[in-house]
Amino acid sequence: MMKRTAYLTLTLLLGASLCACNPDKPKDIEEGPSGLLTADPIEWDGTKNAEITYQLLVYSFADSDGDGIGDFQGIIDKLDYLDSLGATALWLSPIHPAMSYHGYDVLDYAAVNPDFGTMEDFRALVAAAHERDIKIYIDYVLNHSGSDHPWFLDACASAGSPYREFYTFSENPAADIEAGRIPMIASEGANGYDSGQWFVASNDAEGVMEFVMDWSNPAAPTVTVTRTDAPADPENTAPATDNDKFLYAGDPGQYFKFYDDGGGMYSLTVDFNSPWGFLIRTEGTDDWTPGTKYGAENSENAVIQYGVKMPLFSSEDNNAVRDILMPGTLFYHSHLWTSWFADFNYGPAAQAEQSPAFQELVRIGQGWVDAGVDGMRLDAVKHIYHSETSDENPTFLAKFYDAMNGYYQGSEPFYMVGEVLSEHNVVAPYYAGLPAAFDFSFWWRLSSGINSGTGNTFVKDILSYQQEYAAVRPDYIEATKLSNHDENRAGSDLGESTAKMRLAGAVLLTAGGEPYIYYGEELGYTGVKDNGDEYVRIPMNWGDSYNTKLSSYTDKSEITLPTASVSEQAADASSVFRVYKDFAQARHACPALAHGRMVRHDLYNETLASLPALCAWIMESEEGRVLVLHNFSGGEINFLLHDTVTGTVSVQGEVSMDRGGDVPRLTMGAYSSVVFNI
């Protein structure tokens, strides 16, 4: 051992080092040959003690055949890279044939997208990953299929279709919801109706129609609609009067002026194509705000019958008057306000396992288990049943998980993680249905803390969220993350600062939970969603022929890849990549980081107002304890280190220690991190 000096300087100049983290063999802080002090590092032996999942989009990751689209063989060829990064599982974006490049509008749940390869290629990927102790999780979309799925097309074509029960249909959505006739939107009552979430499945209400209004008794007007073979009337250009009446067609927004036939009678013949029906207005304007509108009294009586008088009710008497719906129009529900998704119907949550859709998706899911899949990521689980805060979704998810886990024959339980894009308090109840859930609050508090230079409240917040999760499921799995495919890249949210990105990666890999790394995050990728999701899903820059091309699988123009390739970043000690790789290896090598629990520090916490930038906690397990310290600010901080440290596990940024006094003084440079054995 080199002679210890009074002033120990641990300055790794944006590099990172790690040690064994073996409590039975304490490591001392030593001087390196250049005068810098290192931590007696050892090589990681490759044993994966932690759980670190790598999220990749198959189409963006690695292209083995030169067609510009990522594929299964490309992932196989890059498994050594993922293995060296410490990945224990891969979450693959949807691998099924789909309407869109992203895959969330599935066309066949039992098949693989031919752009990615064959089913044999997928099985080869699973086998190659398992050889490296890497599990495979697939994205499984339970809320909806694509609206071009053969099941849905068949369901729309015939009321007798065996798939009619698979989806949520209605001829009068508002009335059916209010009456509780739609199980997927039952718990909210009338408040569950949102016209923007309903789309036309089939529409017989097209063609030339005659509208006749009897306004002879202004207190009780009526309207009659009749199909006709007569030609549509020309536009009514008569001068405006106080008696003018207008027909408003809801989709698309159009308005037509009635002809005044005298004696309080009005008529109009139009070529009608508005599945959402119509209203009557008394002012001639395309502005919906002023004037009086007339329509159906309520949702239950909103559908008109051809040739039958229908009473009109005004907004002056009833502000909730409804559009008058045309007969023969069938609507389907799509919770994400797009006609490309068709929501499944599982019936009441308490009996969901009896529904044909549930049974079929379980059957197909079990087929993926037979193909070697180790787990599933479930998309947008708070939108399966309409209410995100009732117990319906957790109830459904528990049934689905039990069906999959009961079939799985692995040495550990089947893995299933749900996406609940909400704060912790909304996420917590979902642990009643699933063993794992993404902790979006983790990233939102972390990015806010780093950008504001405030670290001392982070641990208090995270521990309070963990208590919420544990109250629902004691063995909860907190899936921590920075960004993902639906959010701005972490690098952009951190102002494209390499130092901040390095710090965020170090926090992710030293905190509790089971971390996810979004592909490219380890390379410091940036990207914002302003021009579309594609710009946070850009190709991986391998620096070789495996680069994919955005323009090969979307209609967006080619973009510029990040300048530094994987190989260039791996060789750069100051890169974001080196932090991810070194801290991931430290997490595997150190039992306290690998599977310890996060503990609040007695001194360095939210009560230490003099050091708001310092973020500190202890990770402890039966095998040992480590002290984790991060500087969330862009300035230097220094403080007395009252813990007895026996060695350094990992460091990023500039950190130095002065042992000249009775108590060592630690100086941490901007956005730096250090983990000590204690």
Side-chain angles (χ1 to χ4, degrees):
M1 178 182 293
M2 304 186 89
K3 182 179 179 182
R4 184 184 302 243
T5 61
Y7 183 80
L8 299 181
T9 306
L10 186 66
T11 309
L12 300 183
L13 298 178
L14 297 180
S17 67
L18 55 95
C19 78
C21 187
N22 183 346
D24 297 326
K25 184 184 177 183
K27 300 294 179 181
D28 225 355
I29 302 173
E30 301 179 351
E31 286 187 71
S34 64
L36 301 178
L37 294 175
T38 61
D40 190 18
I42 66 166
E43 292 295 328
W44 175 45
D45 66 4
T47 303
K48 296 175 179 177
N49 297 305
E51 294 291 338
I52 300 175
T53 302
Y54 190 92
Q55 178 195 355
L56 64 86
L57 313 179
V58 179
Y59 47 84
S60 288
F61 191 65
D63 171 24
S64 70
D65 57 13
D67 66 354
I69 303 174
D71 46 52
F72 299 137
Q73 185 60 50
I75 301 172
I76 293 172
D77 294 343
K78 298 300 183 181
L79 280 175
D80 286 342
Y81 166 81
L82 297 167
D83 191 38
S84 70
L85 194 58
T88 59
L90 304 182
W91 158 22
L92 308 181
S93 59
I95 60 174
H96 314 296
M99 297 166 60
S100 305
Y101 80 92
H102 53 67
Y104 287 96
D105 35 24
V106 177
L107 295 175
D108 186 347
Y109 283 87
V112 296
N113 187 332
D115 287 337
F116 303 160
T118 64
M119 192 64 190
E120 289 71 25
D121 295 328
F122 177 76
R123 289 179 182 272
L125 168 59
V126 172
H130 286 174
E131 289 175 359
R132 295 166 173 82
D133 294 324
I134 297 175
K135 298 180 285 289
I136 296 294
Y137 305 152
I138 62 168
D139 221 318
Y140 206 58
V141 186
L142 285 177
N143 349 45
H144 54 256
S145 74
S147 56
D148 284 345
H149 194 295
W151 296 344
F152 184 70
L153 297 180
D154 193 77
C156 292
S158 170
S161 166
Y163 301 108
R164 195 63 174 254
E165 290 184 63
F166 275 44
Y167 296 94
T168 300
F169 291 109
S170 175
E171 293 184 3
N172 188 345
D176 284 344
I177 291 172
E178 188 170 359
R181 290 190 288 264
I182 299 180
M184 305 300 293
I185 316 177
S187 61
E188 300 145 297
N191 292 329
Y193 175 70
D194 181 343
S195 62
Q197 295 182 354
W198 290 90
F199 298 86
V200 176
S202 61
N203 179 24
D204 295 333
E206 297 182 23
V208 180
M209 300 186 190
E210 181 185 32
F211 293 77
V212 175
M213 289 197 303
D214 183 346
W215 220 275
S216 57
N217 179 3
T222 64
V223 62
T224 306
V225 181
T226 307
R227 287 187 178 275
T228 178
D229 294 329
D233 290 332
E235 181 182 359
N236 184 354
T237 58
T241 72
D242 292 340
N243 295 324
D244 285 345
K245 307 291 187 294
F246 294 82
L247 174 73
Y248 277 75
D251 183 19
Q254 296 177 311
Y255 66 105
F256 307 88
K257 185 176 181 179
F258 276 87
Y259 286 88
D260 188 344
D261 297 330
M265 300 299 294
Y266 296 82
S267 64
L268 178 66
T269 301
V270 296
D271 190 358
F272 191 84
N273 183 15
S274 174
W276 273 111
F278 65 94
L279 289 168
I280 306 299
R281 295 297 298 266
T282 58
E283 273 77 18
T285 174
D286 59 2
D287 185 348
W288 283 87
T289 303
T292 303
K293 63 181 179 182
Y294 291 79
E297 180 182 21
N298 52 48
S299 299
E300 193 68 34
N301 301 307
V303 181
I304 199 169
Q305 300 301 312
Y306 291 128
V308 177
K309 284 186 177 183
M310 182 176 190
L312 293 171
F313 296 85
S314 77
S315 57
E316 293 178 347
D317 299 325
N318 179 4
N319 289 325
V321 295
R322 297 289 189 180
D323 289 0
I324 298 174
L325 303 179
M326 307 303 284
T329 302
L330 183 68
F331 301 95
Y332 69 93
H333 190 250
S334 176
H335 60 275
L336 291 180
W337 301 279
T338 171
S339 61
W340 288 51
F341 298 161
D343 283 5
F344 286 122
N345 170 34
Y346 296 113
Q351 293 88 42
E353 72 278 8
Q354 301 174 18
S355 70
F358 182 97
Q359 294 170 3
E360 183 65 4
L361 286 164
V362 166
R363 184 190 68 80
I364 295 174
Q366 291 173 346
W368 287 108
V369 170
D370 293 338
V373 165
D374 304 284
M376 291 177 170
R377 178 264 184 185
L378 304 183
D379 182 59
V381 295
K382 71 177 183 178
H383 293 301
I384 298 175
Y385 285 79
H386 197 269
S387 172
E388 64 183 59
T389 56
S390 74
D391 63 356
E392 292 167 301
N393 286 314
T395 297
F396 168 86
L397 292 166
K399 293 175 181 293
F400 183 75
Y401 178 72
D402 288 346
M404 295 301 299
N405 188 46
Y407 184 80
Y408 185 61
Q409 298 299 313
S411 59
E412 299 176 352
F414 191 68
Y415 182 82
M416 193 174 288
V417 60
E419 179 208 26
V420 184
L421 186 52
S422 296
E423 285 282 9
H424 53 94
N425 58 308
V426 177
V427 173
Y430 282 79
Y431 278 108
L434 294 173
F438 288 108
D439 193 348
F440 287 87
S441 297
F442 178 94
W443 169 235
W444 295 336
R445 299 298 93 76
L446 177 57
S447 58
S448 175
I450 293 175
N451 285 327
S452 67
T454 304
N456 63 342
T457 60
F458 178 73
V459 175
K460 174 180 67 68
D461 290 338
I462 300 306
L463 292 180
S464 71
Y465 307 158
Q466 291 177 353
Q467 290 174 355
E468 292 178 6
Y469 308 151
V472 179
R473 181 185 288 266
D475 61 345
Y476 72 95
I477 300 173
E478 179 190 18
T480 55
K481 51 167 280 301
L482 304 186
S483 63
N484 68 17
H485 63 291
D486 285 327
E487 303 172 282
N488 289 343
R489 285 277 187 176
S492 290
D493 280 349
L494 295 174
E496 303 189 7
S497 164
T498 298
K500 289 182 179 181
M501 285 186 265
R502 287 169 52 87
L503 172 61
V507 174
L508 177 68
L509 292 168
T510 55
E514 296 184 0
Y516 276 68
I517 300 172
Y518 182 39
Y519 86 101
E521 204 159 71
E522 79 275 23
L523 302 177
Y525 268 27
T526 59
V528 296
K529 292 163 53 75
D530 290 353
N531 294 321
D533 289 338
E534 296 90 337
Y535 295 97
V536 299
R537 304 171 183 179
I538 65 176
M540 190 80 162
N541 185 7
W542 296 103
D544 58 25
S545 63
Y546 283 83
N547 285 0
T548 66
K549 294 181 179 179
L550 184 69
S551 56
S552 296
Y553 48 86
T554 80
D555 59 358
K556 298 296 174 76
S557 60
E558 188 61 81
I559 63 168
T560 302
L561 291 175
T563 303
S565 67
V566 170
S567 57
E568 290 170 326
Q569 291 219 30
D572 180 3
S574 66
S575 67
V576 177
F577 172 82
R578 290 296 296 274
V579 169
Y580 274 86
K581 182 171 183 178
D582 292 342
F583 273 69
Q585 292 182 4
R587 192 175 183 93
H588 284 304
C590 178
L593 289 177
H595 46 75
R597 68 185 186 98
M598 199 172 178
V599 178
R600 178 177 180 267
H601 196 281
D602 290 338
L603 176 60
Y604 310 127
N605 54 51
E606 73 281 359
T607 66
L608 192 59
S610 61
L611 281 175
L614 178 62
C615 182
W617 65 84
I618 292 171
M619 293 291 290
E620 65 178 22
S621 68
E622 293 181 357
E623 296 94 333
R625 303 167 74 236
V626 295
L627 171 64
V628 180
L629 302 169
H630 300 284
N631 178 5
F632 275 29
S633 77
E636 182 179 275
I637 61 173
N638 67 84
F639 52 95
L640 295 178
L641 185 61
H642 292 278
D643 297 85
T644 301
V645 298
T646 60
T648 305
V649 179
S650 53
V651 181
Q652 70 85 23
E654 299 183 4
V655 182
S656 63
M657 185 185 295
D658 181 356
R659 295 203 181 197
D662 293 336
V663 179
R665 179 172 291 276
L666 196 69
T667 299
M668 300 184 66
Y671 304 117
S672 63
S673 308
V674 60
V675 181
F676 290 116
N677 273 318
I678 55 175

